[in-house]
Each structure stands twice: as C-alpha cells, then as structure tokens.
Amino acid sequence: MDSTNAYAARHLKTLPDRQVIAAEIQHHGQGRTGRHWYSAKPGNVYASIVLKPSEIISPTFPIASISLYLSLCVCRLLDQYQVVSELKWPNDILVGNLKIGGILGQSYFSGDRMEGLVLGIGINLNLEEEDLQYIDQPATSLNLLLERPIPDSLFLSRLLEGFFSTYDEFINAGFPLIAGDFKKRCSFLGKKVMIRLPGTAFAATALGFDQEGRLIVRRSDDGREETVVAGDLIPDTART
Ligand code: BTN
C-alpha cells in the first residue's frame, strides 16, 4: 500500500478501535515533519495502530504522550533482544546514535470530538548495509546489530502485546505512569540541544518533561524556561 497511516486515515470511520494495519512494503512511507520513511524492503515493521477512545474517556485521553508510550514499548522490546536503545524526544528510537525506528502519531478531530488517532510505527528489522544510504539520517537495522535475520511478524506481535498489555492503565494514568522509565532512556536530558520548530530553531538545555510528556527546556539566549509541545530535538554534542 502507499502508507499504513494514510490507509488508516482514509478508512478511519469504519475501522474499529485497536485495529492494526501492517504492510509488507509502502510506496509512500511517511516520516515526521514531512519526511519520507524508507519502506522499500519487506521484513521490517511498517504498521499503524488505530485508536478510537470512547466518548467518555476521550476528553482525558493522553493524546500528547501516547506516541511516547509506544516508543518506550519499542525500547522495552529491544531490551529483550539485548539491544540497548535510547529515546530522542519526541519519539525517535536510536541505537548508538543511529536511528532504528520512529513513530508518526496523527490525530483526527471533528470539531472538538476526537474521531481517532493513528500511531504509525516504522522499525528497521531486516535492512542491508546498502539500504542505509537511502535513509536521510544515520540509521541502523536490528539484523545488522545482531548479525542474524529477525522474524518480523514475531517482533510486531510482541510489540503489540507489550503495548496493549498496559494500554488501559496508560490511558487512565497518562505520562506519569512511564515518566521514570522514559527519562532513564533519554540520553539528552541535562544537555545542550537545538530545538527546531516550524520556521525557527533555538539552543537550549533539556531539563525534563511536564505531566503531559511535553519537553521542558531552558533557552540559552535569555535563560527562560519553555515547554515545547511539538518539534524536533537535535543533540548538540559539541556544546555539552
Ligand atoms: C519518523 O519520522 O521517525 C516516523 C516514521 C514512521 C514510519 C511509519 S511506517 C508505518 C507508518 N506509515 C507511514 O507512512 N509512516 C509510519
């Protein structure tokens, strides 16, 4: 298909809550901030989870942090493969500074009412070294790290099992449920970073997160604390 997220968005009205759509390959894999997601090879995770929380819970649904929860589930699963991964806010999954996976969360509203949420997951499980040149940032793949092929259906089912095993608890409690584990895996906390927002960027120190999982930073220019809702974080290793 073109993109599991695009498919889910097109069929949102008829797809049930917790439906998962997975593709072998995607012709137009979408990354965050309008980037392309390399999806030409089978054997990787290209999937979307459709969430349609009921009317009753949707006003309190932790919409800002659900994709952080999913990225943490990916890290926890990588632990089981003895691979140490890190999180780069908002939801990049890195191994040794190389990107192995990412989440694209898209929400759909009709007026004030949330019609649904689509959480797209892309994880490189079985790429060849030569595929990495087509990825627009330094990247890796689980098979290259472990030097063996990775059964992709098993990986995806374990990921979904982990995600849904504490999903209800998460949507009730929100980000505080995962804050401790999430922070432990964020190597940029306490360091100088660049925050890139649409049309602008600024240098700051990453301080922590608020109750919704939004990033709190101290701006380098005027020392003010600021909460970043959406954007990109660029580790600024030269300045730490
Ligand atoms: C990122 O930029 O880090 C997010 C990448 C998300 C890619 C996945 S692959 C499955 C789903 N369908 C898409 O088109 N994108 C997401």
Side-chain angles (χ1 to χ4, degrees):
M1 65 176 70
D2 52 353
S3 145
T4 56
N5 269 42
Y7 178 94
R10 282 197 300 272
H11 296 88
L12 194 59
K13 280 208 162 56
T14 51
L15 289 169
D17 182 36
R18 305 181 193 210
Q19 174 79 54
V20 177
I21 295 138
E24 281 272 291
I25 58 163
Q26 301 181 118
H27 300 296
H28 294 287
Q30 303 168 10
R32 287 184 62 247
T33 59
R35 284 196 295 258
H36 166 74
W37 186 260
Y38 180 74
S39 318
K41 294 286 169 74
N44 300 286
V45 172
Y46 312 120
S48 298
I49 305 174
V50 174
L51 298 172
K52 295 169 92 175
S54 72
E55 301 271 333
I56 305 139
I57 62 161
S58 62
T60 57
F61 190 86
I63 193 163
S65 57
I66 184 81
S67 54
L68 308 184
Y69 168 62
L70 178 54
S71 58
L72 180 63
C73 292
V74 176
C75 286
R76 288 174 175 169
L77 178 54
L78 288 172
D79 290 349
Q80 294 179 29
Y81 289 78
Q82 273 78 49
V83 168
V84 178
S85 55
E86 286 171 12
L87 288 167
K88 183 167 79 62
W89 186 87
N91 37 47
D92 283 356
I93 301 120
L94 309 177
V95 177
N97 287 328
L98 302 173
K99 185 150 170 176
I100 194 165
I103 314 288
L104 174 64
Q106 296 175 309
S107 50
Y108 296 90
F109 284 83
S110 162
D112 281 351
R113 201 179 68 83
M114 181 161 81
E115 292 201 312
L117 195 69
V118 177
L119 293 182
I121 323 150
I123 309 171
N124 303 331
L125 294 184
N126 289 292
L127 294 182
E128 303 299 325
E129 284 285 355
E130 58 262 30
D131 295 322
L132 303 179
Q133 64 183 302
Y134 302 111
I135 300 181
D136 59 3
Q137 52 197 310
T140 191
S141 178
L142 191 55
N143 62 315
L144 300 175
L145 296 167
L146 297 182
E147 299 179 337
R148 63 173 172 86
I150 310 298
D152 55 320
S153 309
L154 182 65
F155 188 97
L156 179 58
S157 57
R158 282 180 176 164
L159 177 62
L160 296 172
E161 215 171 274
F163 179 83
F164 284 116
S165 68
T166 43
Y167 173 73
D168 291 314
E169 205 183 335
F170 177 76
I171 61 175
N172 283 319
F175 185 71
L177 183 75
I178 58 163
D181 196 7
F182 191 86
K183 275 195 229 163
K184 264 195 267 165
R185 296 170 193 260
C186 290
S187 54
F188 60 85
L189 282 182
K191 298 193 177 152
K192 294 270 189 202
V193 295
M194 286 296 292
I195 301 293
R196 196 164 52 199
L197 306 172
T200 177
F202 62 88
T205 303
L207 301 178
F209 302 97
D210 71 6
Q211 296 281 302
E212 320 289 327
R214 293 177 292 222
L215 180 67
I216 302 168
V217 299
R218 176 169 294 113
R219 293 184 69 110
S220 304
D221 49 5
D222 57 10
R224 271 188 306 119
E225 263 189 34
E226 199 163 307
T227 303
V228 187
V229 179
D232 257 332
L233 179 150
I234 304 154
D236 197 356
T237 41
R239 299 161 58 107
T240 51

